[in-house]
Amino acid sequence: MKTKTAKRVPVYSLDLLKGIGAPRIEALRAAGFSTLRDLLFYLPKGHLDRATVTPIAQLAEGEHTIRAKVRTLTVPRFRRRVAIAQAVLEDDSGKVGALWFGRYDVKKRLAPGVELLLSGRVGHAKKGGLQFHNPDFEEIGGEAEGIATGGIIPVYPPIPGVGQNTLRRAMKQALEVSAGVVKEYLPPDAAKGTALPQALHDIHFAADTATLSRALPRWIFEEFFLYELAMALRRRAATRERGAGKIDVPPDVDRRIRARLPFSLTAAQERAVSEIRADLASGRPMNRLLQGDVGSGKTAVAFATMLAAVAAGGQAALLVPTETLAEQHCRTIDGWLKGSRTECVLLSGSLKAAARREALSQLADGSAHIAVGTHALIQPDVAFSNLFLAVVDEQHRFGVLQRAALAAKGERPHVLVMTATPIPRTLAITAFGDLDVTTLDELPPGRTPVTTRVVAAADLQPVWEDVRREIAAGRQAFLVYPLVDASDRIAAKSAIEMHEHLARDVFPDLAVGLLHGRLKTEEKVAAMDAFRANRTKILVSTVVIEVGVDVPNATVMIVGNAERFGLATLHQLRGRIGRSTHASTCILAAGDAGGDAMKRLRILEETQDGFRIAEEDLRMRGPGEFLGARQSGAPEFHLADLVRDAGVLVQARDSAFDLISRDPDLRRHPDLRKHLLARLGAKMGLAEIL
Ligand code: ADP
Ligand code: MG
């Protein structure tokens, strides 16, 4: 599409930055900044209040800034890439400790006698007394004086190779040079009466907290607004597309599909199937989210949909986050397809070259109808002869772009995304705002509620006896540990050590299996096979089993260091049991946990309602923690907070969708269009649709 490129606003190059140094300017370019204007819109993710200094004697738990001298600095150990530094700081009123993890710069920058402004979270130290935890600090009179001291200091999301003070210095200059000439791009009602240059200045370098609080609402709104504009555009593009393979399911095909399943569908699954079929028959590409608590039977719905696509002469692809899950889905689907001519192939990263070539050629020539795979499925060399349907399982593990990459393998295929993480409403409208939603609100029959207990890790003896009893009764047990081995930063009990301990000391007479992400694929498959076939009675694993593993005979789950998991993750884990008519028990062993962590875990004792758990998790830990780093489907907001600003989000969504309905290509809002493309074009795949 042609757009007007007349530039009314001068463009300032990064080379104008003084005192930054060529390598850092290169690093900025590498991070995607090409002009000073770009830099201006790299908003802080937070601020340090270095205007208000607390005397050490008056410190309490919470965020504080102190002005103090380093009295002692110790670097007790330097082990396995973990740097720990400890300092004692003092001012006229008293002394306080500070502790840093993984900060190599501390040792270099600090020495006894150095005077600092230091900001961060104060908490209780292990040995009693108060302590700063990983605080930020600046030397008084040091080179950053004025940039990082005095007033409200911005903290930017990290950019590789560019430190905070360099960024702050660059930002100051960018503001001086170009803030004055940046044109307002928000519509008047969205700009909330602020003047852009001032708003920019204040969000980066506010003189005091009052100024910052006046500047924030615009930026919070803007962050949501741009994101929702992108969502509205994506949704509009999807619903405007025509000519998707129209898939009808005649009664005889429907009968044959149902006959392949070993059970009849629940009412909720029936509803999902008919909503999906209406989409398939509409002649427009389907874009639907199927959400349902863990165990609600999403796989069967996906399977019925894939068979409909195959019966109509097309192919279907199922994208999943882990190899274990790909392997399991493939096995399930193969089982259901037994005796049929429909061919299913597996594509995963660890496939041998020859097998991969074979699978690729079958997909390309259409002799394979269904592909199940991990990220390997969205690699450039994977081609389909006729992809009608793309299904993404555990969608929260993938981003918008990965979903799009799979869909791009066909010509306007139908897209079905599935998630087992119950999503609080505010997150649902952000992360999946471009999708229609179907909810499976019913579990298949024959489920038994899971009894959940929170115990202290020290009291495991009775737990082992419970496990032994269940195994004697023919059942099996999962034991889940958070980390693969002890080299991870926090020395949690590792699955490997635990496996050794259990197999040797606790259950020497029983077969104990081990499953973790660092095993070779064959080893993982073998471990799952042995457990599925009830040859191993206990499976010790990391969270690789979190998503989708289905072994109904397992009725006990013990989660070690449970305090380190989010409630939503624990709920997912717990969904692995309670899948047969036998009663199931989930034991959450909390390691070194304070009262808050225990209180949080007790919610799982009270309820099995995934949505309630998700809401609690979101409320207590915030969206970042809730969605986790790996769960890249979630948008990242710098200043906006999905919990605190939920009301603003709804407003922003309404205005964004309203604006797009009035001006579908933003042609009448060229500045906004340009700004949106610059901010989110690449991240949200807007270039192709705007
Ligand atoms: P999830 O929604 O978590 O992906 P699955 O698709 O793995 O759930 O289904 C969980 C279990 O329920 C599987 O063992 C599956 O075979 C079984 N199942 C699914 N639908 C039904 C049904 N309608 N009746 C009986 N069992 C079912
Ligand atoms: Mg599943």
Side-chain angles (χ1 to χ4, degrees), residues 273-285:
V273 165
S274 50
E275 287 180 21
I276 287 169
R277 288 203 178 152
D279 290 350
L280 296 180
S282 72
R284 286 196 322 238

Side-chain angles (χ1 to χ4, degrees), residues 323 350 515-527:
E323 293 204 351
S350 58
L515 178 66
H516 59 71
R518 296 198 190 165
L519 292 177
K520 293 207 191 72
T521 307
E522 304 91 80
E523 295 171 313
K524 281 188 216 162
V525 171

Side-chain angles (χ1 to χ4, degrees), residues 298-299 325 329 393-394 420 548:
K298 293 181 291 295
T299 316
L325 193 55
H329 274 325
D393 195 11
E394 310 295 345

Side-chain angles (χ1 to χ4, degrees), residues 7-77:
K7 285 191 184 108
R8 276 152 294 175
V9 177
V11 173
Y12 294 109
S13 150
L14 293 184
D15 295 321
L16 293 177
L17 290 171
K18 294 198 190 72
I20 305 290
R24 304 243 168 91
I25 290 184
E26 268 329 294
L28 285 173
R29 287 216 168 85
F33 299 96
S34 41
T35 66
L36 294 187
R37 185 187 193 281
D38 294 343
L39 209 50
L40 288 183
F41 291 96
Y42 193 65
L43 300 185
K45 69 173 162 58
H47 296 83
L48 300 172
D49 179 1
R50 285 187 174 151
T52 319
V53 171
T54 311
I56 287 176
Q58 288 170 27
L59 287 176
E61 263 183 284
E63 296 284 333
H64 294 280
T65 292
I66 59 169
R67 184 180 176 127
K69 264 206 175 97
V70 179
R71 193 183 157 89
T72 60
L73 176 73
T74 40
V75 184
R77 45 203 172 109

Side-chain angles (χ1 to χ4, degrees), residues 15 19 264 320 329 396 398 433 466 554:
D15 295 321
S264 49
V320 303
H329 274 325
H396 56 285
F398 298 101
D466 288 348

Side-chain angles (χ1 to χ4, degrees), residues 311-326:
Q315 291 169 300
L318 174 59
L319 178 66
V320 303
T322 66
E323 293 204 351
T324 316
L325 193 55

